[in-house]
């Protein structure tokens, strides 16, 4: 636990310092192909915190989205994901201002749990794994192994703002996801 807490502190400090530098170097999106997935992505030009390197390497192993989802199941997933977002975005805005409200946080975590499960079921692997990383981070807040910070709140806000676009990318059968996904997953982990 002490190692995780120390790493959490290091990541929070490093992410805050590197945020502006790395944002200047982030490519908006990349066409991820089935053979290489995210593993072919090169983040070496970015001024990223050293503490994130092992997590980025792990996040680069995300599986590509499945292209064989049943159209009816895919449609249900898209509808459900948008409904979950409609529910948790206002909850997040309220929680962001009163971060001591763990009941509200539990509902947000439950929403990410739903996004993870339904995303994995339909083959929306990028959005599913991103939702899992946020859910897992929220679990750690709830069990008090990490503390809420402004960086964590900003990460959740960024993910929630981008999630509708990620759903649309999956809906269109594209693999052109923002390169920030492995960074978000790395930060949440």
């Amino acid at each position: 636990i002490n190692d995780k807490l120390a790493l959490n502190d290091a990541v929070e400090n490093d992410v805050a310092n590197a945020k502006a530098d790395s944002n200047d170097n982030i490519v908006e999106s990349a066409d991820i192909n089935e053979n290489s997935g995210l593993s072919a992505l090169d983040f070496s030009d970015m001024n990223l915190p050293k503490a994130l390197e092992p997590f980025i390497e792990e996040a680069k192993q995300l599986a590509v989205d499945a292209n064989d989802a049943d159209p009816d199941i895919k449609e249900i997933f898209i509808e459900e994901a948008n409904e979950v977002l409609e529910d948790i975005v206002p909850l997040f805005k309220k929680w962001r201002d009163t971060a001591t409200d763990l009941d509200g946080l539990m509902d947000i975590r439950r929403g990410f749990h739903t996004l993870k499960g339904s995303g994995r079921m339909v083959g929306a692997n990028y959005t599913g794994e991103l939702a899992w990383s946020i859910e897992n981070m929220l679990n750690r807040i709830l069990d008090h192994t990490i503390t809420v910070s402004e960086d964590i709140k900003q990460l959740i806000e960024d993910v929630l703002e981008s999630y509708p676009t990620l759903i649309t990318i999956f809906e269109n059968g594209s693999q052109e996801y923002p390169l920030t996904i492995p960074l978000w997953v790395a930060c949440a982990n």
Side-chain angles (χ1 to χ4, degrees), residues 33-155:
N33 66 51
E34 290 182 30
N35 298 325
S36 65
L38 290 170
S39 63
L41 299 177
D42 181 12
F43 294 97
S44 62
D45 291 344
M46 294 183 192
N47 183 19
L48 296 174
K50 294 285 185 202
L52 285 180
E53 287 178 4
F55 298 102
I56 290 172
E57 288 306 312
E58 182 180 326
K60 286 167 67 174
Q61 304 307 314
L62 294 174
V64 297
D65 285 346
N67 291 323
D68 60 352
D70 178 283
D72 293 332
I73 301 294
K74 188 174 181 178
E75 183 178 334
I76 291 168
F77 160 71
I78 292 163
E79 183 178 317
E80 180 182 61
N82 284 314
E83 288 173 2
V84 167
L85 290 171
E86 286 176 15
D87 290 341
I88 65 174
V89 166
L91 292 173
F92 168 74
K93 289 178 180 177
K94 180 180 176 188
W95 174 80
R96 179 186 58 205
D97 297 333
T98 57
T100 57
D101 175 19
L102 295 185
D103 289 335
L105 185 61
M106 288 175 61
D107 291 335
I108 297 165
R109 188 214 58 86
R110 193 172 301 115
F112 278 105
H113 176 79
T114 301
L115 292 171
K116 171 200 69 178
S118 58
R120 286 178 173 173
M121 181 181 71
V122 77
N125 295 318
Y126 292 125
T127 58
E129 292 308 308
L130 177 59
W132 161 240
S133 67
I134 300 297
E135 176 193 358
N136 189 37
M137 180 180 68
L138 297 177
N139 285 334
R140 289 179 283 140
I141 292 169
L142 289 166
D143 70 15
H144 305 288
T145 56
I146 64 172
T147 57
V148 177
S149 69
E150 290 304 314
D151 289 332
I152 286 174
K153 292 178 192 178
Q154 187 63 55
L155 173 62

